[in-house]
Amino acid sequence: MTRELICINCPMGCMLTAEVEGGEVTKVSGNTCPRGEQYAKTELTAPVRTVTTTMKTAGGKPVPVKTKAPIPKDKIFDVVAAIKSATAPLPVKMGDVVLENAAGTGVDIVSARSMNNA
Amino acid sequence: MKSDYNIIIIGGGPAGMAAAIGAKEAGEDDILILERDSVLGGILNQCIHNGFGLHTFNEELTGPEYAERFADKVRELGIPFELETMVLDVTPMSDGRKAVSLISAQRGAVTLTAKAVILAMGCRERPRGALNIPGFRPQGVYTAGTAQKLVNLEGAQVGKEVVILGSGDIGLIMARRMTLEGAHVAAVAELMPYSSGLKRNIVQCLDDYGIPLLLSHTVVDIKGKEKLEGVYIAEVDENRKPIAGSEVYYPCDTLLLSCGLLPENELSSGAGVEIDPRTNGAFVNDRLETNIEGVFSCGNVLHVHDLVDFVSEESKRAGANAALYVKEGRKGGREVNVTVGNGVRYSVPSKINTDALPELTHIRFRVTGVYKDASIIIKSGEREILRRKSRILVPSEMLDIILKRDKLADVTDDINVYLEEVQS
């Protein structure tokens, strides 16, 4: 079976063509870098996404956060709910872990910005 | 306080910061960045999604992370910057310097002077008033970027039931963002038969969440007097005129507009900089210098980019060129025009000095429509400088052709950039 998909790794958006046999991706073409091949393989078997959102802080203004690594696509809403129920301590530095093992994914949530108490 | 500088940079977003770093790394120490916001970083601070930095840092960052890395670098290099500072006017002076008038709490209303000025003011969104949508002006109609700021920086809730007009990247990003914040996004309507956003954003912002993209559709009426109650969306024909009878009513409390970005060139025009009507940005040569000697332009104020990495690269060059200008003055020599032909909407630069070529010359442009298996051709007179076949070319993706010095060294005729389509 041939599947067409668009690589989402970077804004180039390469159009990929993948051959799928028995649930396995056997051949990928159309990619301009190795990330495209990896993307097709993952996307057609166990799709993942990096999630970005904001977490509330004691200071009132929210802080941008992201999953430190991509998480399974079907866990996006669970992870966002876990982030929404947490509060980031201030001050926080870019890269600090603000929530461990979000929604049981084994992936930590890190701050995407340094923020002081103000 | 000091009032005379070698280089003043207007704007402390991605373009301004990269220009400052470029100038500093080229050996210029007397630089000042002026920024109207209370932090460096510009629009990146509210762009909390990821996808930034693959070219620059070889990893995928969020907007705030990308901004913070550049801001850290600005601090590390000891480049002075002044925040909450609004530049009101730039005027070339008779001695070749530029007068930069500004107002800030720190300085009051003053005029500074500089040998070179780098315009890095970015762009703003096309507002509802520029779209000619009939109907009342109820609460609940926002540009996508305004909603993005309210949600991401202020932590505000914008709405629960959302329609988005325009499939620009900010609109697509906000479709996902509003969904993650608990809202329901009923549809994204796009006037054109293709999206003006990046393909990856259609996949990961719309398809992932089952949000329909209605191509060749537009909002024809806005209902609600005090508070938005709903919008009518109609299909449009090939002339972009709504087709009578195709209207569908979408009840909603929020309408987001993502209908294009406009370079913010009021200061440039005031200074006498010539503006290219195709980009709404300055005409520049290959040094990113405008028609006014010592005034440079880069980033989204020059032409709207889709990749911040391209903004940073371009702006670094503008900074280095401004530093060179401070040292050596304007480069004289033979300039050839860069013109565009079939399938190409504009090019930056519009002139190349072939007597003082840098190692690498960038020609950036956008195509006018969707082209499959077309070739990009760059020619000077009868001489073909470049031919590159592309599987797909779309207007939403800026193209960047990099030419080595020897490719352009003995060029004397105008350079023409165009697409050659396959005969079918």
Side-chain angles (χ1 to χ4, degrees), chain A residues 8-13 15 30 49-50 52-54 61-62 64 66 73 76 80 84 94 112-114, chain B residues 48-50 54 60 62 64-65 68 152-155 177 180-181 198-200 204 208-209 307 391 397:
Chain A
I8 62 166
N9 271 297
C10 84
M12 278 184 68
M15 300 207 308
R49 295 286 183 268
T50 295
T52 63
T53 182
T54 52
K61 300 261 170 124
K66 68 173 187 181
K73 197 173 144 183
I76 291 175
V80 169
K84 288 294 166 199
M94 176 167 69
R113 184 178 187 174
S114 303
Chain B
I48 66 161
H49 51 282
N50 63 333
L54 269 169
E60 200 171 26
T62 64
E65 290 172 307
E68 192 162 325
N152 292 348
L153 293 182
E154 306 298 329
R177 187 75 191 105
L180 291 182
E181 286 293 313
L198 297 171
K199 282 174 284 191
R200 71 190 299 253
Q204 61 181 355
D208 272 7
Y209 300 93
L307 285 189
R391 209 171 148 198
E397 288 172 39

Side-chain angles (χ1 to χ4, degrees), chain B residues 221-356:
Chain B
D221 200 5
I222 295 175
K223 291 292 176 195
K225 198 165 180 183
E226 299 293 325
K227 178 87 190 78
L228 179 64
E229 289 166 9
V231 299
Y232 280 95
I233 293 180
E235 200 176 342
V236 298
D237 62 20
E238 60 273 18
N239 299 317
R240 296 184 231 160
K241 294 279 173 272
I243 299 168
S246 69
E247 301 88 357
V248 173
Y249 184 67
Y250 285 80
C252 58
D253 58 26
T254 306
L255 173 65
L256 301 186
L257 306 172
S258 177
C259 301
L261 299 168
L262 303 166
E264 201 164 336
N265 268 306
E266 285 76 8
L267 286 174
S268 325
S269 298
V273 169
E274 282 175 31
I275 301 295
D276 183 339
R278 300 168 302 179
T279 56
N280 292 308
F283 281 109
V284 291
N285 62 18
D286 59 299
R287 291 180 186 260
L288 302 163
E289 191 176 11
T290 67
N291 59 302
I292 300 176
E293 194 176 318
V295 176
F296 297 78
S297 178
C298 57
N300 280 351
V301 79
L302 177 58
H303 55 148
V304 175
H305 295 60
D306 32 81
L307 285 189
V308 71
D309 299 82
F310 277 23
V311 169
S312 300
E313 189 280 332
E314 177 178 285
S315 304
K316 250 183 154 168
R317 277 189 284 131
N321 287 331
L324 197 65
Y325 167 82
V326 168
K327 268 194 216 105
E328 300 176 4
R330 186 169 211 166
K331 287 281 172 196
R334 183 181 52 191
E335 280 192 333
V336 298
N337 294 312
V338 183
T339 60
V340 299
N342 181 51
V344 179
R345 196 158 66 79
Y346 74 88
S347 75
V348 168
S350 57
K351 277 190 174 82
I352 292 176
N353 183 333
T354 54
D355 280 342

Side-chain angles (χ1 to χ4, degrees), chain B residues 127-156:
Chain B
R128 178 184 169 188
L131 297 173
N132 291 325
I133 309 169
F136 285 108
R137 299 179 163 267
Q139 187 278 326
V141 183
Y142 304 88
T143 59
T146 300
Q148 187 180 47
K149 181 172 187 174
L150 290 171
V151 173
N152 292 348
L153 293 182
E154 306 298 329

Side-chain angles (χ1 to χ4, degrees), chain B residues 21-248:
Chain B
I21 292 165
K24 183 81 180 183
E25 287 178 347
E28 179 55 60
D29 288 323
D30 191 19
I31 308 169
L32 176 65
I33 303 174
L34 301 173
E35 165 57 43
R36 68 181 166 192
D37 205 344
S38 56
V39 286
L40 290 174
I43 204 69
L44 285 173
N45 290 321
Q46 69 182 62
C47 299
I48 66 161
H49 51 282
N50 63 333
F52 303 91
L54 269 169
H55 294 258
T56 312
F57 298 111
N58 212 19
E59 61 178 305
E60 200 171 26
L61 301 174
T62 64
E65 290 172 307
Y66 190 96
E68 192 162 325
R69 288 199 185 187
F70 270 83
D72 285 348
K73 181 95 179 172
V74 166
R75 287 192 189 91
E76 189 187 304
L77 291 172
I79 301 169
F81 56 89
E82 291 180 19
L83 303 172
E84 296 178 314
T85 297
M86 189 74 190
V87 175
L88 305 170
D89 183 68
V90 178
T91 303
M93 294 163 36
S94 54
D95 64 357
R97 289 182 303 155
K98 287 86 200 159
V100 178
S101 303
L102 60 84
I103 190 158
S104 72
Q106 202 184 351
R107 288 191 187 254
V110 296
T111 298
L112 311 181
T113 52
K115 288 195 179 81
V117 167
I118 302 176
L119 305 167
M121 295 88 77
C123 59
R124 60 174 173 243
E125 296 177 281
R126 184 169 282 133
R128 178 184 169 188
L131 297 173
N132 291 325
I133 309 169
F136 285 108
R137 299 179 163 267
Q139 187 278 326
V141 183
Y142 304 88
T143 59
T146 300
Q148 187 180 47
K149 181 172 187 174
L150 290 171
V151 173
N152 292 348
L153 293 182
E154 306 298 329
Q157 175 136 45
V158 167
K160 283 278 181 203
E161 184 66 27
V162 184
V163 169
I164 299 177
L165 173 61
S167 61
D169 286 310
I170 314 170
L172 300 176
I173 295 284
M174 282 310 291
R176 174 177 61 184
R177 187 75 191 105
M178 298 293 284
T179 306
L180 291 182
E181 286 293 313
H184 174 252
V185 180
V188 175
E190 168 60 54
L191 181 67
M192 304 301 285
Y194 51 83
S195 168
S196 53
L198 297 171
K199 282 174 284 191
R200 71 190 299 253
N201 285 335
I202 294 169
V203 173
Q204 61 181 355
C205 298
L206 301 188
D207 298 353
D208 272 7
Y209 300 93
I211 300 167
L213 173 60
L214 309 173
L215 296 173
S216 299
H217 280 73
T218 193
V219 171
V220 289
D221 200 5
I222 295 175
K223 291 292 176 195
K225 198 165 180 183
E226 299 293 325
K227 178 87 190 78
L228 179 64
E229 289 166 9
V231 299
Y232 280 95
I233 293 180
E235 200 176 342
V236 298
D237 62 20
E238 60 273 18
N239 299 317
R240 296 184 231 160
K241 294 279 173 272
I243 299 168
S246 69
E247 301 88 357
V248 173

